[in-house]
């Protein structure tokens, strides 16, 4: 409708419809996914896939630094870099924030630390593909927790079967590694719920940026102690920085661009493929091949995520309330678009 009327510029001049159309033709980025051209949709799909690959590649690069820094050192660097990037972009009003806002911010800061530390501990012990796949049980649990639909219950059962096939529990199983991945899944579920709360109490990603800052403040002395007591090699430090950039900064940028070019349902389903990318990157970068049974387990969990995601988005599309604004910042499977963010620190 805005194309049918003239717009007034900051200098009081009237911008004609023809001039608006010419200006619109110069900018390649669509305002929303619904106005994107087929080429822009394709670019959005490629960007979303690139975001997922970058995220998992970053985790693999971070794992290469584990011998020198350990998961704790890598998480410390990642949290510091994430805060340095997010805080200047979002500019949270720290002094003006109320206690009502600070409570979920502090909870999210703790969640960041638990989520990343437990995930990297799991990656160190059971491999990238298995760790990321088990972590995806968190969003899946949140998505099906309030559902009684037969489809969702069947998907949940398939996911449980996938976990059993994937982990193949026995006396020789690395229970600590599996447990760490499940702790990461619980933390991710908490992350989704806290982000939902923050999305109602603070605009944009200010709450997430504030939580990143708090987390960085906590991790700064830990990093200082680690690096002073055992100075890391430059290579290990660069690997950790690369992990932070690829797992936080790049997905943050790519996801925001992708969501302007592809519908939320397509984006969510593409995100459900993260365990597959993690398994492939773990094989190529970390030399962590998976057996056929493990691929079957990953496939069951991925399909479960995709089914529940598509089911939830379809229900929302049919609901009159589906037009409410969404707040996103990190990609995750099987969760309605307004329920979680599109980039995880």
């Amino acid at each position: 409708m805005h194309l049918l009327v003239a717009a007034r510029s900051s200098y009081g001049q009237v911008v004609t419809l023809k001039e608006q159309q010419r200006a619109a033709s110069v900018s390649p980025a669509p305002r929303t996914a619904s106005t994107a051209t087929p080429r822009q949709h394709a670019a959005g799909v490629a960007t979303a896939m690139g975001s997922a690959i970058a995220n998992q590649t970053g985790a693999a690069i971070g794992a290469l630094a584990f011998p020198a820094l350990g998961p704790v050192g890598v998480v410390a660097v990642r949290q510091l870099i994430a805060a340095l990037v997010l805080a200047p972009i979002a500019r949270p009003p720290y002094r003006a924030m109320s206690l009502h806002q600070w409570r979920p911010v502090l909870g999210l800061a703790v969640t960041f630390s638990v989520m990343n530390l437990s995930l990297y501990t799991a990656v160190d012990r059971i491999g990238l593909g298995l760790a990321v796949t088990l972590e995806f049980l968190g969003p899946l649990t949140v998505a099906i927790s309030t559902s009684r639909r037969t489809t969702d219950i069947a998907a949940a059962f398939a996911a449980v079967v996938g976990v059993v096939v994937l982990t193949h529990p026995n006396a020789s199983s690395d229970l600590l590694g599996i447990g760490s991945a499940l702790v990461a899944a619980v933390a991710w579920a908490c992350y989704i719920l806290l982000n939902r709360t923050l999305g109602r109490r603070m605009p944009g990603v200010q709450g997430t940026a504030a939580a990143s800052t708090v987390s960085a403040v906590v991790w700064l002395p830990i990093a200082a102690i680690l690096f002073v007591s055992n100075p890391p090699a430059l290579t290990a430090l660069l690997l950790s920085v690369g992990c932070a950039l690829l797992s936080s900064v790049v997905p943050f940028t790519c996801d925001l661009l992708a969501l302007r070019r592809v519908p939320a349902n397509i984006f969510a389903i593409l995100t459900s493929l993260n365990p597959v990318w993690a398994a492939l990157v773990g094989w190529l970068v970390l030399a962590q091949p998976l057996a056929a049974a493990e691929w079957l387990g990953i496939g069951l969990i991925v399909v479960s995520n995709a089914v529940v995601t598509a089911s939830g988005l379809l229900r929302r599309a049919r609901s009159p309330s589906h037009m409410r604004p969404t707040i996103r910042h990190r990609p995750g499977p099987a969760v309605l678009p307004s329920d979680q963010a599109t980039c995880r620190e």
Side-chain angles (χ1 to χ4, degrees):
M1 185 173 65
H2 67 280
L3 292 178
L4 300 180
V5 297
R8 188 171 300 276
S9 72
S10 59
Y11 295 99
Q13 298 173 336
V14 174
V15 182
T16 65
L17 174 61
K18 184 175 181 180
E19 290 170 335
Q20 291 182 45
Q21 292 174 333
R22 186 184 303 114
S25 66
V26 173
S27 175
R31 287 183 178 271
T32 64
S34 60
T35 62
T37 65
R39 179 176 294 182
Q40 289 169 335
H41 275 298
V45 170
T47 302
M49 293 176 63
S51 170
I53 295 172
N55 194 7
Q56 305 309 327
T57 302
I61 289 176
L64 294 176
F66 286 169
L69 296 176
V72 174
V74 174
V75 171
V77 174
R78 177 171 172 174
Q79 294 303 121
L80 293 173
I81 296 295
L84 288 174
V85 172
L86 276 180
I89 293 175
R91 297 182 180 180
Y94 301 106
R95 295 183 179 179
M97 289 168 56
S98 65
L99 183 61
H100 186 60
Q101 294 169 324
W102 271 114
R103 286 197 187 105
V105 164
L106 295 176
L108 192 58
V110 174
T111 300
F112 283 156
S113 299
V114 174
M115 183 167 54
N116 289 325
L117 185 57
S118 56
L119 175 63
Y120 283 4
T121 300
V123 170
D124 190 32
R125 300 185 67 90
I126 63 175
L128 181 62
L130 274 64
V132 170
T133 303
L134 292 175
E135 187 197 26
F136 264 56
L137 295 175
L140 177 61
T141 302
V142 172
I144 65 176
S145 60
T146 58
S147 174
R148 290 180 174 83
R149 291 174 62 92
T150 304
T151 302
D152 294 346
I153 295 173
F157 178 76
V160 172
V161 173
V163 170
V164 174
V165 173
L166 181 64
T167 58
H168 188 58
N170 54 62
S172 61
S173 297
D174 191 329
L175 297 181
L176 179 57
I178 294 172
S180 296
L182 294 177
V183 169
V186 173
W188 193 353
C190 295
Y191 171 91
I192 293 168
L193 298 175
L194 286 168
N195 253 305
R196 180 187 301 173
T197 301
L198 276 172
R200 299 182 182 126
R201 299 181 185 181
M202 298 184 71
V205 295
Q206 286 186 352
T208 305
S212 296
T213 303
V214 173
S215 181
V217 170
V218 173
W219 279 96
L220 182 59
I222 298 175
I225 293 172
L226 287 174
F227 296 161
V228 169
S229 61
N230 185 23
L234 179 60
T235 302
L237 194 57
L238 290 177
L239 288 172
S240 298
V241 172
C243 168
L245 294 175
L246 288 173
S247 294
S248 294
V249 180
V250 173
F252 174 80
T253 304
C254 288
D255 290 342
L256 291 179
L257 292 175
L259 284 166
R260 297 176 63 185
R261 292 167 169 82
V262 295
N265 59 336
I266 301 299
F267 179 87
I269 292 173
L270 288 172
T271 299
S272 297
L273 297 175
N274 264 271
V276 175
W277 296 121
L280 290 173
V281 170
W283 172 46
L284 295 173
V285 178
L286 301 176
Q288 297 173 345
L290 298 178
E294 292 172 325
W295 277 109
L296 176 60
I298 289 175
L300 286 171
I301 294 174
V302 167
V303 170
S304 299
N305 274 292
V307 168
V308 176
T309 297
S311 175
L313 289 168
L314 183 61
R315 290 199 303 273
R316 171 158 297 195
R318 293 173 177 172
S319 171
S321 63
H322 79 282
M323 296 302 292
R324 67 182 181 179
T326 60
I327 299 174
R328 308 195 51 135
H329 181 57
R330 180 203 193 254
V335 180
L336 301 180
S338 62
D339 290 341
Q340 72 170 43
T342 64
C343 175
R344 187 183 72 175
E345 287 63 41

